[in-house]
Amino acid sequence: MNLEQILSTIREEVSPLTGQGRVADYIPELSSQDPGKFGMAIETLSGESYSVGDAGDKFTIQSISKVLTLSLAFSQLGDKLWNRMGVEPTGNPFNSLVQLEYEKGKPRNPLVNAGALVVSDILISRTAYALKDLLQFVNELAGEEIVFNQEVARSEKEWGYINRAMVNFMKGHDNIENPTEQVLDMYYHQCSIEMNCVQLARTFLYLANHGINPRNGEKILSRSQSKRLMSLMLTCGLYDEAGEFAFRVGLPGKSGVGGGIVAIIPGKMSLAVWSPGLNDHGNSLAGIMALELFTTKTGLSIF
Ligand code: GLN
């Protein structure tokens, strides 16, 4: 199978979609992204790398970071994590507040904002250096120095009224231990992690490798934890579009409003795609199409 060739065919086939969709505009720093950009990268466990288009351009990984913080919290807390949040899809947008009231401040799952905010709270309860530790963790996975985009983090904190409401609401239900501003600071910094597609695909190879960092053999998650985390990606990773994504792509994935999506083929490879034009669910329009084309053309999926 010529993956290089497949990537360039995908690039051609998605070109009618790039430039379409809406770039995230809730903060000025994201609204200036060019919707015409498209990049895709593949890293395999056997050490091969493939990329196409704007795969070297950096973007903020946004909600994709939820998988990284969840990995840290799951490895530290084990199944106690599930006392603070559930594992069911929401069928609602990523920043929806509506279920939280019915469910008394316990988020449905760790991959929507409410759940990720509780995960951030858990990480800062464990150490005074949670942000530094997160960056160190990401650097080790990426194999190079990764940084926060401080401008994006600052701007999100200024405009993020809904996330602030969510943290306060969960605090009212005793599901947040730390001060609201501290939790938001952690969360917005993780969202502002900047990477390109090649770095992103490399960073997520530990999931393809069932929880072991292939770079140094370090165990991040047990095989069972890695299975559970990817199951959550499959059922909740694209919010209220998770069913459609599973149907079209057939892989565990995670999206972010920066326009990135990662997807994992367990035991084989990780894929990262980026195109900032989003659909109504806040997921990359061309990104989903590219992943659908990839699994259709290669026959590689978990099914
Ligand atoms: N920073 C964004 C937010 O919290 C991340 C959301 C996303 O990528 N879906 O609203």
Side-chain angles (χ1 to χ4, degrees):
M1 195 175 326
N2 186 340
L3 293 181
E4 195 75 58
Q5 179 64 47
I6 288 175
L7 282 189
S8 68
T9 313
I10 290 174
R11 185 197 186 181
E12 270 165 44
E13 290 181 23
V14 298
S15 64
L17 278 185
T18 54
Q20 289 193 31
R22 260 187 56 207
V23 172
D25 58 2
Y26 65 95
I27 55 167
E29 287 74 9
L30 288 182
S31 64
S32 57
Q33 294 195 104
D34 174 0
K37 294 275 184 176
F38 174 84
M40 187 164 179
I42 299 173
E43 292 282 320
T44 73
L45 282 178
S46 44
E48 294 147 44
S49 305
Y50 305 91
S51 63
V52 74
D54 304 309
D57 285 22
K58 295 212 172 168
F59 54 93
T60 56
I61 68 169
Q62 297 293 340
S63 280
I64 299 172
S65 68
K66 290 173 172 140
V67 178
L68 300 169
T69 50
L70 174 61
S71 297
L72 277 176
F74 200 11
S75 69
Q76 292 168 2
L77 240 68
D79 284 335
K80 279 197 232 127
L81 189 61
W82 313 120
N83 297 332
R84 306 269 306 264
M85 66 196 76
V87 294
E88 287 295 338
T90 64
N92 284 322
F94 61 82
N95 58 358
S96 170
L97 278 152
V98 72
Q99 257 160 355
L100 267 186
E101 178 160 26
Y102 292 121
E103 296 171 5
K104 303 194 168 39
K106 186 174 175 183
R108 271 278 169 114
N109 70 64
L111 298 182
V112 288
N113 285 19
L117 288 160
V118 172
V119 169
S120 302
D121 182 57
I122 289 169
L123 294 178
I124 56 185
S125 285
R126 289 185 70 91
T127 159
Y129 307 103
L131 267 182
K132 211 170 127 246
D133 289 356
L134 172 64
L135 214 47
Q136 164 99 19
F137 173 67
V138 177
N139 286 348
E140 261 164 42
L141 289 170
E144 62 184 293
E145 202 189 335
I146 301 294
V147 294
F148 298 120
N149 181 326
Q150 298 289 355
E151 257 318 287
V152 168
R154 189 203 48 73
S155 191
E156 295 226 45
K157 211 169 167 198
E158 185 180 339
W159 295 102
Y161 300 111
I162 295 176
N163 287 326
R164 182 166 284 116
M166 224 176 268
V167 176
N168 282 327
F169 186 81
M170 293 190 289
K171 207 167 168 55
H173 280 283
D174 293 328
N175 202 11
I176 293 285
E177 293 170 351
N178 297 284
T180 302
E181 292 309 309
Q182 228 173 299
V183 176
L184 290 172
D185 198 62
M186 173 77 193
Y187 173 74
Y188 286 133
H189 274 91
Q190 74 185 53
C191 287
S192 81
I193 290 174
E194 233 176 10
M195 286 194 211
N196 61 37
C197 286
V198 178
Q199 294 168 325
L200 192 57
R202 202 174 293 150
T203 299
F204 276 81
L205 213 44
Y206 73 102
L207 286 177
N209 201 27
H210 304 292
I212 312 284
N213 181 351
R215 188 175 305 285
N216 56 15
E218 192 198 337
K219 183 166 142 192
I220 289 152
L221 296 169
S222 70
R223 193 173 175 115
S224 156
Q225 286 175 324
S226 152
K227 172 194 75 179
R228 293 191 198 290
L229 201 141
M230 285 190 281
S231 301
L232 283 166
M233 290 169 75
L234 183 72
T235 54
C236 314
L238 277 87
Y239 322 111
D240 49 340
E241 199 178 11
E244 172 105 8
F245 184 79
F247 178 76
R248 287 174 58 188
V249 178
L251 291 176
K254 184 75 204 80
S255 60
V257 288
I261 308 177
V262 290
I264 311 294
I265 306 185
K268 288 200 167 59
M269 62 183 77
S270 79
L271 301 109
V273 61
W274 171 64
S275 186
L278 308 179
N279 63 20
D280 290 344
H281 306 278
N283 297 320
S284 172
L285 202 62
I288 294 179
M289 176 57 96
L291 291 168
E292 177 179 8
L293 287 169
F294 182 84
T295 53
T296 307
K297 286 178 191 300
T298 60
L300 293 171
S301 87
I302 58 169
F303 300 108

